[in-house]
Amino acid sequence: MSAQETLETKRKHWKIETSLHHVLDDLFREDRSSARKSKNNLDVIRKIAYNLLRIAILREKTESGPTEMRDQFNDDLTLIEKYVFRGIAHL
């Protein structure tokens, strides 16, 4: 790889990483969390929750973003049952 290709690859990686962290911070208020000792555990739980939202958006065929889908999960207990407690068979 040339230096230019390496730079472009690193920038693409950090763009994805930064956008994920922005969503987690925006959606789950990650930076405002007062948890210090269990920080890593909560990070994993937030990422699982984010992925459940993304899967629900794809499977429900909705134009909603993660924030709107999070609100739907709060309002509709059948979504929680469907995606959290029953599990996801396959995509």
Side-chain angles (χ1 to χ4, degrees), residues 7-55:
L7 178 64
E8 288 173 11
T9 302
K10 286 189 86 142
R11 283 189 176 152
K12 286 178 187 176
H13 167 77
W14 283 111
K15 181 179 179 185
I16 293 168
E17 189 74 18
T18 302
S19 65
L20 171 65
H21 286 290
H22 173 73
V23 168
L24 289 173
D25 186 35
D26 217 27
L27 194 61
F28 297 109
R29 296 178 180 94
E30 197 171 47
D31 286 346
R32 296 182 199 135
S33 174
S34 61
R36 297 291 175 243
K37 291 183 180 180
S38 60
K39 182 180 177 188
N40 292 334
N41 296 337
L42 289 173
D43 286 344
V44 171
I45 291 169
R46 285 184 189 107
K47 288 176 183 168
I48 290 170
Y50 175 66
N51 284 317
L52 284 173
L53 290 174
R54 290 183 57 211
I55 290 169

